Structure formats: structure tokens, C-alpha cells
Amino acid sequence: MSRTIMITGASSGIGAATARRFLEEGWQVGLFARRKEALEAVAEGHASAHVLCGDITEPEQVSQAFEKLSAAAGRIDALFNNAGLFTPQAPIDEVPIEDWRRAVDVNLTGMFLAARAAFGQMRRQDPQGGRIINNGSISAYVPREGAAPYTATKHAITGLTRQISLDGRPFDIACGQIDIGNALTDIMQEVTERARRLGEAPPETFEVEHVADAVLQMASLPLHANVQFMTLMATKMPYIGRG
């Protein structure tokens, strides 16, 4: 029987690349995001892809997506808790309150809602258990300039990962976090091109497919083993060791 993973933010970037990798490996993959056409493009040609449209900030829509995937696949073995956004950079006194709330709604509340739904399903299913992989960020421990909303929410995800890892032990629910630095998504490609237009050195990057491979490695472990934290970054990024 093939295993099943729910991937949030699956319509583009890291989420889409990871979804395609799991589909190639024969997993049942739940694709959750707001844009149906983009999800269908990721799912195209794969009978084991489940398109599940919804808003990560809406509790009922998140719960319904997990229920649909569980009903279709029989169980949920893993969640890649990936949906997130980066608000425009600014000093904290110039950050619009709306940007702060939007970052908290998506990057923190949305990830909490997905983890909550996954945890409940994994706790109830037979056999019990599963794995939650949170997408943190380099910003989960080292800030970028002008990124107070993003940095604060990603620091909070580290706390969420540790809490779920502890609370999941009695139910064979493992939880880990992947912290990614400068994977070459469409957004990072735009950053690179803008830097070149301005005559600046582009940021060091690496192919997004390596993130997909890393998530697959984490998800494929037996439940008695866990990658608690993994940092995957461009080799020549400035040094950012955990302090």
C-alpha cells in the first residue's frame, strides 16, 4: 500500500517541487493551496494526486481537506507543512499592521491549523502515528534585514516543532523541521534578476529539487527515527550558525 502525504502551499515553488518528487516515488499526495489551476498543473498525469483547494488560514477548509485526503487514501502518513509568505521588507516602524497580521495568519496560524489537523488524524488512525515536517527557514534562527513579521513567525515555528515533537511521542507522531536558505524558486529567481539589473551581486542559490529530495528523505524514515532539524542552504551563503 502506498504512503500518503499532505503538502500545503503545493501550487508553486518548494511545495510544487516537493509534490512532484513524492508523486514520482509513488506516494499518494494531497495538494493543498488556493489556486486550483496551479494545483491541477502539478497533479497532471498522476492518478495518485489529490487536488484540495482551500485557504490555509480557514480552520474548516483545512480540516475538510485532511478529511477528504484521509477518506480517499485510507490514512495520512505525513504532512509537509509548507505554506507561507514573505511580506515586503521594511524597518519595524514602517511595517503595515496588515502585513504583520497577514504573516501571522499564514506563517503561524495556518501552519498550526495544518499541524493540528494532521496530528488529530494521525492520532486516530489505525495503525496510529505519522510524521509532520514543518518548513521553517534560515530566518527561524537568523534574521534578514527588514523582515520582522517573517522572522518572528518563523522563530515561532521552531517552538511549534519542538512542542509537537514532544506531544507526539505517546502516539508515534514524529515532528521535524527543515530550514531552507535560498532555494531557487520563482521568487528567488526574481530576486536574482533584480540584483543583476541593479548591478549588484546576486544571492547564492541552489536548485529547489534538492529541497524535495531532503523532505523525501525525512518523510521516508521509520517512525522510531527522526530528523529533528535540518538546515539546507546554498554553500556560499554568509555563515549563519545557530547561536
Side-chain angles (χ1 to χ4, degrees):
M1 182 178 177
S2 62
R3 286 177 288 178
T4 303
I5 185 168
M6 174 73 86
I7 299 177
T8 65
S11 58
S12 63
I14 289 169
T18 303
R20 292 189 177 101
R21 186 73 177 91
F22 276 81
L23 288 166
E24 290 168 0
E25 290 296 313
W27 285 59
Q28 297 280 323
V29 180
L31 307 169
F32 185 84
R34 291 179 297 177
R35 296 181 294 148
K36 184 177 181 181
E37 290 185 1
L39 292 178
E40 289 175 340
V42 175
E44 186 174 2
H46 296 282
S48 59
H50 305 266
V51 172
L52 302 163
C53 287
D55 186 332
I56 195 67
T57 67
E58 294 294 334
E60 287 301 318
Q61 294 181 32
V62 174
S63 296
Q64 288 171 8
F66 277 86
E67 289 168 5
K68 288 178 181 177
L69 181 60
S70 177
R75 63 181 286 112
I76 296 178
D77 298 289
L79 161 67
F80 182 36
N81 206 1
N82 168 70
L85 58 80
F86 191 87
T87 55
Q89 290 178 274
I92 190 169
D93 62 317
E94 296 178 13
V95 172
I97 299 301
E98 293 77 12
D99 281 359
W100 169 262
R101 288 176 173 158
R102 191 159 54 98
V104 171
D105 281 349
V106 175
N107 296 354
L108 183 53
T109 302
M111 291 187 74
F112 166 80
L113 293 174
R116 181 177 184 271
F119 195 102
Q121 172 60 33
M122 293 169 181
R123 183 178 177 181
R124 293 190 304 269
Q125 62 195 11
D126 185 20
Q128 193 176 59
R131 186 181 306 277
I132 295 169
I133 301 170
N134 291 326
N135 186 348
S137 170
I138 296 298
S139 295
Y141 46 97
V142 175
R144 295 176 185 266
E145 292 182 359
Y150 190 77
T151 298
T153 54
K154 289 303 183 178
H155 271 66
I157 293 305
T158 298
L160 184 66
T161 297
R162 289 175 170 148
Q163 190 66 54
I164 295 170
S165 185
L166 175 62
D167 293 345
R169 291 177 182 178
F171 312 110
D172 284 331
I173 298 172
C175 184
Q177 180 169 313
I178 183 166
D179 296 317
I180 304 161
N182 288 7
L184 192 54
T185 60
D186 290 343
I187 292 174
M188 186 54 67
Q189 184 65 47
E190 292 174 4
V191 171
T192 298
E193 291 172 358
R194 183 169 65 248
R196 286 174 176 154
R197 287 196 302 270
L198 295 173
E200 300 172 353
E204 298 291 341
T205 61
F206 68 98
E207 296 79 4
V208 71
E209 288 76 17
H210 297 308
V211 178
D213 290 341
V215 175
L216 178 63
Q217 179 188 22
M218 294 171 75
S220 298
L221 289 172
L223 291 177
H224 63 270
N226 187 39
V227 175
Q228 182 80 80
F229 292 98
M230 176 189 289
T231 301
L232 184 60
M233 56 181 277
T235 303
K236 294 184 179 181
M237 282 183 69
Y239 178 70
I240 47 169
R242 288 180 183 270

